[in-house]
Each structure stands twice: as structure tokens, then as C-alpha cells.
Amino acid sequence: IIIIASLLRLWQIGNVPASPDWDEVSLGYNAYSIMQTGKDEYGQFLPIVLRSFDDYKPALYAYLIIPLIKIFELNILAVRLPSAIFGILTVIATYFLVMELFRGKKYVDNFAFASSFLLAISPWHIQFSRIAFESNVGLAFNVFSLLFFLKGLRSPKYLLLSFFIGSINLYMYQSEKVFVPLLFFLLI
């Protein structure tokens, strides 16, 4: 399942889709600018929010791109790779989340494999994993937060990790600023 998820998300990622969209260009340019000068394209020092064509997006995704620009240089592969990696990690986390949700139930491993397989081949998830969408990484952080919260109910050391991931998720995508507090409110 991991191999299938990886192939569907990584094959020709620098070429398919054929051209970067304006969000990808903005994220890559701002990541490069921050890497070179410590400032975004508008001169803001280590920004928490990127102005980015006046749509103001959280800057965490741009920071995830910086090490990849150092490795691959500034290109579409470096910009899209964090989304693809987190897409693959979400498939893995989904398996463990289902195992945790249905712990002790008959055929839980079959449900977990089926869930992660269906996410691995989901056209929606593949598309969002192949493009630099912050929402895809936000989804991964949500799944990991929920997984570690459930694990934390049995072993409290995981609760801190759950809240940490949930906290940094607030800096990934705008809707997470509403969703994450609601998620934790409902969980608590």
C-alpha cells in the first residue's frame, strides 16, 4: 500500500501537472527569498503569514520547502515534495488511526488496510498530494493529532505530541485555525 501510495504521488511529480499554479510559484519564491535573506518578497523578516498576492496564507509550508530547495534547487519538485511526502504519511497514519479507533474489534487489521488502501488510491487525495497545497499537509497534521490524542488516552505521553502537532497545524492552512480548536474541543 505504501509503494502504491508513493508511486501515485511521486511519479513525475516535477512534470505532472504540467505547470505550477500561482500558489506553488508564490510558495517557492517566498521560501527561496526567506532562505536567502530571511525575508519574504515584501521584506517581512521570518514571516508567520505570507502576503502572497494579498491572499495571506500561513507560512509553515514555505518553511518546509527551504531544506528541499537546498537539496534540489528552486524548482517545482522542491515545492511539491512536502505535499507528496505528507500525503504518503497520511496513508500510513490512516492505517494506525483505524487500528486505534477499532482496537480489539474483530477484523480491525482488514479495516485498517482497506482504509489506508482506499486513501492511497483516492483521486482527490492523489491530486492534492501532487500539488503544493497546504491543506494536504494540514490534513496529515489532523490525522496525526487525532491518532496521538487517542493513543494519549492510554499513555499520556502522546497527548503532548498531539497538542504540539495540532498547534503547529494552526500555521499550515487558514481553515485549520477554526478546525483544530473545534476538533480538540470535541475530543476533550
Side-chain angles (χ1 to χ4, degrees), residues 8-87:
L8 291 172
R9 283 155 183 77
L10 296 173
W11 180 79
Q12 293 277 323
I13 193 169
N15 300 321
V16 177
S19 65
D21 68 13
W22 64 279
D23 279 332
E24 292 175 309
V25 172
S26 174
L27 286 166
Y29 180 73
N30 277 294
Y32 184 77
S33 179
I34 292 167
M35 182 182 79
Q36 294 293 334
T37 66
K39 298 177 181 179
D40 69 1
E41 65 183 298
Y42 292 96
Q44 183 74 27
F45 182 72
L46 297 178
I48 295 173
V49 175
L50 299 173
R51 186 171 167 187
S52 178
F53 300 116
D54 288 336
D55 73 346
Y56 298 93
K57 63 181 77 197
L60 184 55
Y61 193 96
Y63 289 105
L64 293 176
I65 298 170
I66 291 172
L68 297 169
I69 291 174
K70 287 196 175 277
I71 296 168
F72 299 110
E73 297 182 352
L74 181 57
N75 58 41
I76 197 62
L77 171 67
V79 174
R80 290 178 177 167
L81 201 52
S83 186
I85 290 169
F86 278 98

Side-chain angles (χ1 to χ4, degrees), residues 166-178:
S167 297
I168 63 171
N169 198 10
L170 299 175
Y171 298 99
M172 180 52 65
Y173 190 60
Q174 294 292 19
S175 65
E176 300 300 343
K177 293 175 183 174
V178 174

Side-chain angles (χ1 to χ4, degrees), residues 32-170:
Y32 184 77
S33 179
I34 292 167
M35 182 182 79
Q36 294 293 334
T37 66
K39 298 177 181 179
D40 69 1
E41 65 183 298
Y42 292 96
Q44 183 74 27
F45 182 72
L46 297 178
I48 295 173
V49 175
L50 299 173
R51 186 171 167 187
S52 178
F53 300 116
D54 288 336
D55 73 346
Y56 298 93
K57 63 181 77 197
L60 184 55
Y61 193 96
Y63 289 105
L64 293 176
I65 298 170
I66 291 172
L68 297 169
I69 291 174
K70 287 196 175 277
I71 296 168
F72 299 110
E73 297 182 352
L74 181 57
N75 58 41
I76 197 62
L77 171 67
V79 174
R80 290 178 177 167
L81 201 52
S83 186
I85 290 169
F86 278 98
I88 295 164
L89 290 174
T90 305
V91 171
I92 296 167
T94 298
Y95 171 84
F96 291 107
L97 179 60
V98 172
M99 290 292 286
E100 196 65 34
L101 283 170
F102 299 103
R103 184 178 212 52
K105 303 285 185 197
K106 193 173 184 179
Y107 304 118
V108 65
D109 52 341
N110 293 342
F111 292 133
F113 277 118
S115 299
S116 60
F117 177 73
L118 289 173
L119 184 62
I121 63 168
S122 165
W124 171 87
H125 196 255
I126 293 167
Q127 175 186 344
F128 279 89
S129 295
R130 293 185 60 84
I131 301 173
F133 281 128
E134 308 99 311
S135 59
N136 189 55
V137 180
L139 171 66
F141 286 167
N142 287 328
V143 172
F144 277 108
S145 290
L146 185 55
L147 170 63
F148 290 127
F149 183 86
L150 294 174
K151 287 179 121 0
L153 295 177
R154 288 183 294 105
S155 179
K157 64 183 178 185
Y158 290 107
L159 287 176
L160 186 60
L161 184 57
S162 173
F163 289 121
F164 173 73
I165 293 171
S167 297
I168 63 171
N169 198 10
L170 299 175

